Amino acid sequence: MSANPPIDATVAHPGGGRANARRAAPARWVDHGFAAVPTLWLALFFLAPLGFTVVYSFGNSLFGAVELGLTLKNYQTALSGFYLTTFLRTVQFAVTASALCLIVAFPVAYFIARKAGRFRTLALVLILVPYFSSFLVRVMSWQILLARGGVIETILNFLHLHDGPLDLLDTKTAVFIGMVYTYLPIAIVPLFVVLDRIPGPLLEASRDLGASRWQTFYAVTLPLARPGIATAVLLTAVPMLGEMVIPRLLGGSRGVLMGQAIQSQYMQSQNYALGSAMAVLVLIAVAILVAALARLTKGFATVPA
Amino acid sequence: MTRHLLLPQGSAKRTGFSRRSMLGLLGAAPAALAIQSAFPGSALAESAGGGALNVFSWPNYFSNDSLAEYARKSGVTPNITSYDSNETLFAKLNSPAGADFDLVIPSSSWIKQMADRGLLQEIDHSRLNLASLDQSLLNRDYDPGNKYSIPKDWGVLGVVYDPEAVGAEIKTWQDFLDAGAKPGVSGKVRLSDSGWETIGMSLWTHGKDWNKATEAEIRAAGEEIKAFAKHVKTFAGLDPNQLANGAIVLAQTNQGTARAAIALNPKLKFVVPGPMSELWVDNYAIPAKAPNLDQVYDFLAYQLEPEVQISETQYIGFPAALAGLRDKLPADTKNVDLIFGGKDLDFDKLTSFVVDPATIGVYLEVQTEIQAAAGG
């Protein structure tokens, strides 16, 4: 997540132990050289466009161009009326979807870490492999599943849980299903990592001291899993704030979210200034979220290896 | 802008998304543009010297057969790159990255903006013969005298519906709005995601011209559509399967998608409602700085040949501009009238939208509000 790849002298230096941080000058020079490449790449393709966005957000929009200036007009528009509603709806949406994701991911991660035994690698692979296929294909396959006369309708009808045609596609429910499905693997992995690292003896001790299963979970497992929870929220909520493909493919483009609103300002209204201001607002929301969660993830260091 | 639907004859592929909406989804366009404007003139094939032709077009918008034939005849293989929206085309032509293109295919709505910005050059009519083209497609209000554009193919905004489920005949846009509010139809309606196509319904009903409507008039018309929005199921690209299986029973769409749906479910009907509706035309246009002018005119002359026009129509599923094209198509073409928007299409009752910087923002803003109103 760091924008500036640190040159960590303690890592991966051939022949050098952890304590051996000082190195000969040429070796350091080479390291600097290697580090400069990604730094330059980031500066050019990440920081520079970001800079443009910030500068544009204070400018005046001409159709398809921006006259540089120093006005807060765009922010006023972005923070009033329809756009404010959209912004708040997006935040609410991301938080809800992220929470749903967490609720589903936690038991899965817990099961893999504690109960899967020799099948845990297999389980992790099964969860991660689909994630490497095209995002678009995975979301569109839900279209086929959720469509009228689709697999889910057939199954629900067969189980008598539903009767007749199922019109799930193009609803908010479908969007949430798509969101949870898409982001589930990246929520499971950090949770699995922390749960896996909780030493068994801690739990045994808790039981020995008279805590019930539930008390152990609540007082020992959950607090120790905190950094994983924070990471999972971060990795799901942040991209959800900018999500625009899933609402379009599964939600029928109803109930506009921020990602769609920004895209339409840039591409359709040709109003780069307002689009930039909206993008900066989302960035600020993300930054606040990251800062808040970073405090929680600090706990990572305290989880014993 | 989801009006075109690639519909090759006999294609069994799932045609759920128009090429426009599909590519828009990839979301790569803005990023690509930003990079390209930072590093001009890198991507394209060399255009120096004779014998090159760089075409910037919608994806899959030229028949492969006729392209191959042209390459064989002229020795020049057109180098085609594609865009997903007029906005992308505009932004690219407007940046240094657009300098290498010889031929572009803007829609009628954007010709004026591009011409006004000096992005297109005037077409030398002495080098091309438009006499073979359908005269009702020439000299239209979006480009009087066809100074900058030659029609490539066209379509109309209409309504496809299931008469049984809707229980009424649709003749006007008011009929459409009334039918959509009925129980059993409500919630199974598809509207366009283009602001002028949704708001246009109300403007036309009130006898207004969508190219002259003031901001207040657009907003007032938008309120009517916003009130209707709760009946809408989707604004996304129309999937013919959804019409065939009854998930949607009433939809704004172009004739191409309607024809695909009717092929799946012959009960469906397509109509171009009154009092007015939209005609869109995708056009050949030449960028101001096109480097290979002679080659462009040579290619255009080839594209206007009747056999090529027929082949293009069969490939893209929308009619080329050739006069009398309907009778020149193979006799076994299914639902041939539908390709041309139905049997009695009246071109005098069709109007083409022209993007105006003064109002386009209003159309788009109101459309965003309509889509938001459809699902909280």
Side-chain angles (χ1 to χ4, degrees):
Chain A
M1 293 294 288
S2 165
N4 196 0
I7 307 163
D8 190 343
T10 62
V11 173
H13 181 57
R18 280 184 76 84
N20 184 11
R22 273 174 193 281
R23 265 137 354 119
R28 242 194 298 172
W29 189 87
V30 170
D31 279 359
H32 281 294
F34 275 124
V37 175
T39 311
L40 212 69
W41 177 269
L42 275 173
L44 207 58
F45 294 108
F46 184 73
L47 292 179
L50 196 64
F52 276 121
T53 307
V54 175
V55 171
Y56 276 6
S57 71
F58 293 104
N60 293 305
S61 170
L62 307 171
F63 193 69
V66 175
E67 182 190 63
L68 298 186
L70 246 184
T71 168
L72 289 174
K73 192 181 63 184
N74 302 310
Y75 286 96
Q76 269 168 8
T77 314
L79 281 173
S80 60
F82 175 74
Y83 295 111
L84 179 66
T85 324
T86 305
F87 183 62
L88 295 178
R89 192 196 299 122
T90 308
V91 172
Q92 187 202 2
F93 186 86
V95 169
T96 316
S98 177
L100 281 173
C101 217
L102 206 64
I103 291 170
V104 180
F106 201 96
V108 178
Y110 190 87
F111 179 82
I112 298 175
R114 299 242 150 256
K115 312 280 178 198
R118 61 199 175 92
F119 294 111
R120 55 165 32 188
T121 312
L122 181 70
L124 275 179
V125 166
L126 284 179
I127 284 167
L128 282 176
V129 163
Y131 189 69
F132 295 128
S133 66
S134 160
F135 167 70
L136 221 51
V137 169
R138 279 180 292 136
V139 177
M140 285 184 72
S141 62
W142 273 103
Q143 269 194 336
I144 300 167
L145 293 175
L146 293 172
R148 253 194 190 213
V151 178
I152 292 181
E153 178 187 309
T154 316
I155 293 174
L156 289 183
N157 276 325
F158 179 75
L159 298 173
H160 297 287
L161 290 170
H162 181 83
D163 194 29
L166 182 74
D167 276 320
L168 258 184
L169 196 59
D170 297 328
T171 64
K172 217 173 170 177
T173 315
V175 178
F176 277 118
I177 292 176
M179 285 275 194
V180 171
Y181 166 77
T182 305
Y183 290 102
L184 201 54
I186 49 175
I188 290 177
V189 170
L191 288 173
F192 165 78
V193 170
V194 283
L195 291 173
D196 187 47
R197 285 165 97 188
I198 297 174
L202 267 184
L203 304 178
E204 284 166 28
S206 168
R207 298 296 299 277
D208 287 350
L209 293 169
S212 69
R213 265 167 191 269
W214 172 244
Q215 279 170 322
T216 302
F217 175 77
Y218 185 76
V220 180
T221 308
L222 211 53
L224 285 174
R226 214 176 48 182
I229 296 172
T231 310
V233 170
L234 192 73
L235 292 180
T236 52
V238 170
M240 280 171 181
L241 276 174
E243 186 56 61
M244 49 180 257
V245 174
I246 298 173
R248 187 158 181 177
L249 282 178
L250 300 178
S253 288
R254 292 186 295 164
V256 173
L257 295 180
M258 213 56 185
Q260 296 156 285
I262 293 173
Q263 193 247 12
S264 117
Q265 286 303 331
Y266 262 93
M267 292 315 294
Q268 292 170 356
S269 304
Q270 302 282 326
N271 190 341
Y272 298 171
L274 180 56
S276 299
M278 286 156 63
V280 170
L281 285 179
V282 172
L283 273 179
I284 292 173
V286 169
I288 293 173
L289 194 68
V290 172
L293 292 170
R295 291 185 67 91
L296 278 173
T297 35
K298 267 191 190 153
F300 249 136
T302 64
V303 177
Chain B
M1 301 283 291
T2 54
R3 47 200 199 188
H4 299 241
L5 185 88
L6 179 67
L7 187 63
Q9 296 269 310
S11 163
K13 271 189 239 160
R14 183 167 184 275
T15 46
F17 289 89
S18 74
R19 58 201 162 81
R20 295 188 184 189
S21 62
M22 200 59 239
L23 279 151
L25 283 171
L26 301 177
L33 278 174
I35 292 169
Q36 272 155 353
S37 42
F39 302 92
S42 48
L44 277 190
E46 274 91 282
S47 51
L53 182 68
N54 292 317
V55 181
F56 196 34
S57 166
W58 304 95
N60 267 319
Y61 220 32
F62 287 89
S63 143
N64 289 330
D65 292 345
S66 49
L67 281 181
E69 175 67 12
Y70 179 76
R72 199 185 58 77
K73 269 165 100 166
S74 69
V76 173
T77 305
N79 171 35
I80 299 185
T81 34
S82 59
Y83 52 84
D84 61 309
S85 70
N86 280 300
E87 291 83 354
T88 310
L89 168 62
F90 174 76
K92 197 150 185 184
L93 281 186
N94 206 8
S95 79
D100 291 334
F101 296 120
D102 299 307
L103 184 66
V104 293
I105 316 292
S107 302
S108 39
S109 49
W110 278 82
I111 299 282
K112 185 172 184 310
Q113 272 315 303
M114 292 181 188
D116 284 358
R117 283 234 163 192
L119 300 176
L120 302 179
Q121 59 175 281
E122 290 189 27
I123 284 165
D124 184 352
H125 285 271
S126 67
R127 300 179 74 169
L128 288 169
N129 185 4
L130 305 187
S132 65
L133 300 187
D134 188 338
Q135 298 303 303
S136 49
L137 288 168
L138 297 177
N139 196 24
R140 302 224 28 128
D141 44 6
Y142 62 84
D143 182 21
N146 287 80
K147 248 170 107 176
Y148 299 99
S149 68
I150 298 169
K152 179 181 184 301
D153 60 88
W154 56 275
V156 288
L157 176 67
V159 171
V160 62
Y161 66 107
D162 180 344
E164 216 167 277
V166 170
E169 196 183 350
I170 310 264
K171 284 184 172 163
T172 64
W173 287 113
Q174 191 59 52
D175 292 346
F176 176 89
L177 294 174
D178 292 344
K182 286 201 272 185
V185 182
S186 173
K188 296 178 178 175
V189 180
R190 186 257 172 184
L191 288 193
S192 164
D193 66 350
S194 146
W196 59 79
E197 289 183 349
T198 55
I199 300 162
M201 293 194 285
S202 167
L203 286 173
W204 294 322
T205 302
H206 296 293
K208 301 232 161 61
D209 179 343
W210 61 359
N211 289 324
K212 293 185 185 131
T214 62
E215 174 166 354
E217 287 170 338
I218 298 167
R219 288 196 189 277
E223 287 305 318
E224 277 192 23
I225 307 300
K226 258 193 252 178
F228 178 79
K230 60 175 178 285
H231 305 297
V232 179
K233 182 187 184 67
T234 177
F235 294 88
L238 182 60
D239 177 353
N241 292 301
Q242 282 189 299
L243 276 161
N245 66 23
I248 291 174
V249 296
L250 181 68
Q252 270 193 314
T253 187
N254 60 57
Q255 80 274 23
T257 312
R259 186 162 161 265
I262 290 171
L264 296 171
N265 178 0
K267 272 196 321 191
L268 301 173
K269 268 173 97 168
F270 178 75
V271 61
V272 180
M276 292 294 281
S277 194
E278 178 186 29
L279 167 75
W280 53 262
V281 185
D282 282 347
N283 300 274
Y284 301 106
I286 308 176
K289 296 177 214 139
N292 305 301
L293 261 189
D294 289 337
Q295 203 66 52
V296 177
Y297 279 105
D298 186 58
F299 182 66
L300 281 177
Y302 171 78
Q303 285 293 120
L304 295 179
E305 286 172 15
E307 307 81 68
V308 179
Q309 295 262 306
I310 293 167
S311 153
E312 292 280 283
T313 304
Q314 288 173 318
Y315 182 78
I316 62 177
F318 285 94
L322 184 69
L325 177 62
R326 188 201 175 288
D327 300 324
K328 294 179 177 122
L329 291 177
D332 59 350
T333 311
K334 271 190 188 163
N335 291 327
V336 65
D337 284 322
L338 264 181
I339 298 178
F340 301 90
K343 234 179 183 146
D344 319 299
L345 192 66
D346 184 352
F347 276 84
D348 290 337
K349 292 191 173 148
L350 297 177
T351 169
S352 300
F353 187 76
V354 176
V355 168
D356 174 356
T359 54
I360 185 66
V362 184
Y363 275 110
L364 294 163
E365 195 182 310
V366 175
Q367 173 71 15
T368 315
E369 292 174 20
I370 292 170
Q371 288 183 215

